[in-house]
Amino acid sequence: MRITRKAVLASVASVSVLALAACSGSDGGDTAEGEGDNAGINANTAINIAWNQPFYSFNGESITGNATANNIITYMANSRFVDYNMELELVADESFGTMEKVNDDPLTVEFTYADSAMWSDGVAAGPADLLLEWAAQSGKFNNVEPELDDEGNVTNQEAVDAGVYFDAASPSVALIEETPTIEDNSITMVYSKPFADWETSLDSNLPAHIVAQRALGIEDPEEATEALVAAITENKPEELSKIAKVWSEDWNFASLPEDEDLLVTSGPYAITDFVEEQYLTLTANENYEGDRPAAFDQITVRYNGDPMGQVQALQNGEVDLISPQSTADVLTALEAIDTIEVETNVEGTYEHVDMQQANGGPFDPATYGGDAEKAKQVRQAFLKTIPREQIVENLIKPLNPEAEVRNSFTQVPDSPMYEGIAEASGQGAEYADVDIAGAQALLQQVGVTTPVQVRLLFDPNNTRRSNTFELIKTSAAEAGFDVIPYTVQTDWGTDLSNATAFYDAALFGWQSTSTAVTEPDANFRTDATNNYYGYSNPAVDALFDELQVETDPAEQERILGEVEKHLVDDAFGVTIYQHPGITAYNPEKISNVQKLGIAPTIFYGFWEWSAGDAATDDATE
């Protein structure tokens, strides 16, 4: 067993894009041996990889599906115009297409699909696919919003079905106000104002022809695609209503769907088997013609939320690659296995606590007759009880002795902007230490009697989060808060956005997926994709409007500092620590594993993996 330590944190210095986290490199543009038709596949090879949260949606661009557990699968199954390499530089996959800025004023971007860009059912990928994503993510056509009851059920389903509702919201895509234009195999997007992160604003996602076939009842894929383009460009509400419903709902599945159309992909792999809560299998797409062919014939992702369970599975040969949420016990157990490679690192995920402000709970102004100030003081009181230093000392420093409390909502520690933004926010000063007396004083001041019950959402199968919950519960009880686990409706990741009435605060991690400076917008803007809590501050919205067009790093730092100051003043929540990471794998089964500092982490560069002799032996047994 060989243990190495990689300082991944430095490579995620400016990362901001976030997805729900359950938990030496190439340039990312190299091709495997052979060209087209997945010529780089090692025939009859298989690999098993453990992951902590099951897949539940193939539409990772929707509000419901925006989670790392989903996007690691779509990363291997679908092609994109751009990806990151190990140095976090954007690299184009020209075998899928090219993206070019053709004008600065107004900002104009042209996407051109390559001849080798192909869906696995034989239909060419093309401009309609990106037009659909613009329609979905821009919010341009939405004319209704779902209304939920206390159990997370939609109460206005008839209105939603009759109207147009795409389950998505992207402030950056909303800047493309004009309907994009299509010419041959290209589509041109014109922004209404300059945008700093245009390169990561929009990319390919679902097959437009299948969305149209399902929504409009047109069998021929070419005719279906033409009808979809017409519905969008001519703004036909009746057709758009059906298209939006299919886009939002049909690709949400937790086991293998009967309809194979839902399994059509544009990349090296396709889903061929999926047993709920157990495993998902990807098999090499024989029709793939791009430059990133599958290295293994088959990849099976096996789901296990127990970090020690993953270690045991690796030791038993049930899986070959793991990256469990790290604890001291996990590291010790891995050190005892002499047949594996182990690497430790700091990840692009940070732990935090956010609070519900619109669910009728203890942090909602409605609970106090609409008194927003009183609700804010109760939130402040709760935040004063969260033992951030103790959590880091007890749970993180045994893995990373240099670990410190993170004091920024948008910046990774040691990044160029971190110190300035953390200081401007005041989070470190406001919540440097647990302040039980201060919390009690605030509750007394607003006349709130104790105990105040707080339902805390977290992954109950995650050892470190369970330990964190116990530390928070014990500390908060001293001030008069009764912190209890939330009531599970489906699973914690889905409930985070869809069952908000069942929890008052959430303990989880946001995982960085990009280096775009504007992407915290999705977490804190009113009604934004990742803002599940009813938080709204017009000043924050205006600052994000300003950030979208700002390219000067000094001004970007100032704007984000002001955003974070509002978050602290509004008692939005609190950050705790940057995740320590562990990767372990069996070198006889897989090599050239390169863990990216942001999502997709251990799945990065899957086309450059090498299969060992044992991988071939297992696959042919």
Side-chain angles (χ1 to χ4, degrees), residues 238-567:
E238 184 175 348
E239 287 88 343
L240 285 170
S241 176
K242 298 174 183 177
I243 291 168
K245 184 176 178 62
V246 168
W247 186 92
S248 300
E249 298 179 4
D250 286 19
W251 273 263
N252 298 332
F253 51 86
S255 61
L256 193 71
E258 293 183 3
D259 190 342
E260 293 184 357
D261 283 349
L262 297 175
L263 304 177
V264 169
T265 66
S266 61
Y269 285 101
I271 298 173
T272 54
D273 196 7
F274 184 17
V275 177
E276 186 170 0
E277 300 285 337
Q278 295 184 39
Y279 65 85
L280 181 150
T281 297
L282 295 162
T283 300
N285 170 18
E286 295 180 355
N287 296 321
Y288 176 70
E289 298 180 359
D291 290 343
R292 298 175 176 179
F296 285 86
D297 182 55
Q298 195 172 87
I299 297 174
T300 297
V301 181
R302 298 190 179 278
Y303 298 112
N304 189 336
D306 178 11
M308 288 300 294
Q310 290 191 22
V311 173
Q312 188 66 53
L314 179 64
Q315 184 172 22
N316 294 344
E318 298 164 8
V319 298
D320 311 302
L321 170 63
I322 68 173
S323 185
Q325 188 170 82
S326 55
T327 65
D329 289 341
V330 166
L331 182 58
T332 298
L334 288 172
E335 289 174 343
I337 306 173
D338 60 7
T339 58
I340 64 171
E341 300 274 358
V342 181
E343 296 173 354
T344 62
N345 59 276
V346 181
E347 298 182 338
T349 302
Y350 74 92
E351 198 80 348
H352 64 288
V353 172
D354 301 334
M355 290 174 289
Q356 275 290 344
Q357 301 183 28
N359 72 338
F363 307 130
D364 181 355
T367 300
Y368 311 101
D371 191 330
E373 183 64 24
K374 181 177 289 189
K376 183 180 76 173
Q377 288 176 300
V378 176
R379 295 197 300 271
Q380 289 172 328
F382 181 64
L383 292 178
K384 285 179 178 291
T385 71
I386 296 178
R388 299 197 300 160
E389 287 284 358
Q390 186 183 11
I391 292 168
V392 172
E393 188 70 31
N394 290 10
L395 305 179
I396 309 305
K397 283 194 173 182
L399 297 157
N400 177 15
E402 299 176 359
E404 296 180 350
V405 170
R406 169 167 162 157
N407 284 313
S408 171
F409 290 96
T410 67
Q411 302 298 304
V412 175
D414 294 332
S415 68
M417 296 184 185
Y418 178 79
E419 292 295 339
I421 290 176
E423 182 177 357
S425 76
Q427 182 180 183
E430 183 69 22
Y431 302 113
D433 301 302
V434 170
D435 183 4
I436 299 301
Q440 291 173 328
L442 279 171
L443 293 178
Q444 292 172 0
Q445 180 180 333
V446 298
V448 173
T449 58
T450 57
V452 178
Q453 187 180 88
V454 176
R455 298 164 298 173
L456 184 65
L457 177 149
F458 63 97
D459 182 358
N461 296 316
N462 187 300
T463 303
R464 193 163 75 208
R465 292 215 173 104
S466 295
N467 291 338
T468 301
F469 163 74
E470 292 297 337
L471 292 173
I472 293 174
K473 177 179 178 67
T474 299
S475 178
E478 296 182 32
F481 289 98
D482 178 22
V483 184
I484 63 172
Y486 82 113
T487 302
V488 179
Q489 299 304 299
T490 53
D491 65 82
W492 75 269
T494 303
D495 289 354
L496 182 67
S497 59
N498 293 349
T500 57
F502 285 87
Y503 71 92
D504 306 307
L507 168 71
F508 66 103
W510 280 124
Q511 178 153 46
S512 304
T513 63
S514 171
T515 62
V517 72
T518 57
E519 292 301 327
D521 193 315
N523 285 37
F524 309 118
R525 183 188 287 271
T526 303
D527 295 328
T529 305
N530 297 335
N531 181 356
Y532 310 127
Y533 318 110
Y535 174 72
S536 179
N537 185 328
V540 169
D541 296 346
L543 285 165
F544 278 123
D545 288 341
E546 187 179 350
L547 182 64
Q548 287 178 339
V549 300
E550 184 55 67
T551 58
D552 181 355
E555 282 299 292
Q556 291 172 345
E557 179 176 330
R558 174 191 63 79
I559 293 168
L560 286 171
E562 291 184 24
V563 166
E564 293 209 21
K565 182 66 165 62
H566 282 295
L567 295 176

